[in-house]
Amino acid sequence: VPDIVGDLNCDGAVNLFDVDPFVLALTSATHVPPFDDYTAAFPQCDPYKADVDDDGEVTLFDVDAFVALLTGK
């Protein structure tokens, strides 16, 4: 699977099918252990692909960057 930032369902493309997995990564980032819900649903994927603003963390600050990635802006 290519390492594409924003490709949260790991299908090789960033598109609307990544929205729900992005939300799952975002909402489970602070769980203990981190990303437990995301990795249960997408065990083959890296949850840090949701770190779209590239600051090393998956937080609400990634939302605007993710939307920009989806819309090409």
Side-chain angles (χ1 to χ4, degrees):
V1 175
D3 189 24
I4 302 170
V5 173
D7 179 18
L8 276 300
N9 66 351
C10 294
D11 67 353
V14 179
N15 52 40
L16 292 177
F17 294 112
D18 294 298
V19 172
D20 287 343
F22 175 82
V23 171
L24 191 57
L26 181 66
T27 57
S28 65
T30 59
H31 290 182
V32 177
F35 305 109
D36 58 344
D37 291 340
Y38 176 81
T39 54
F42 299 95
Q44 76 282 11
C45 297
D46 179 3
Y48 283 96
K49 290 181 182 182
D51 179 20
V52 185
D53 69 356
D54 198 29
D55 68 353
E57 299 179 310
V58 177
T59 64
L60 289 175
F61 293 111
D62 293 295
V63 172
D64 288 345
F66 181 68
V67 171
L69 187 62
L70 284 176
T71 61
K73 295 183 180 187

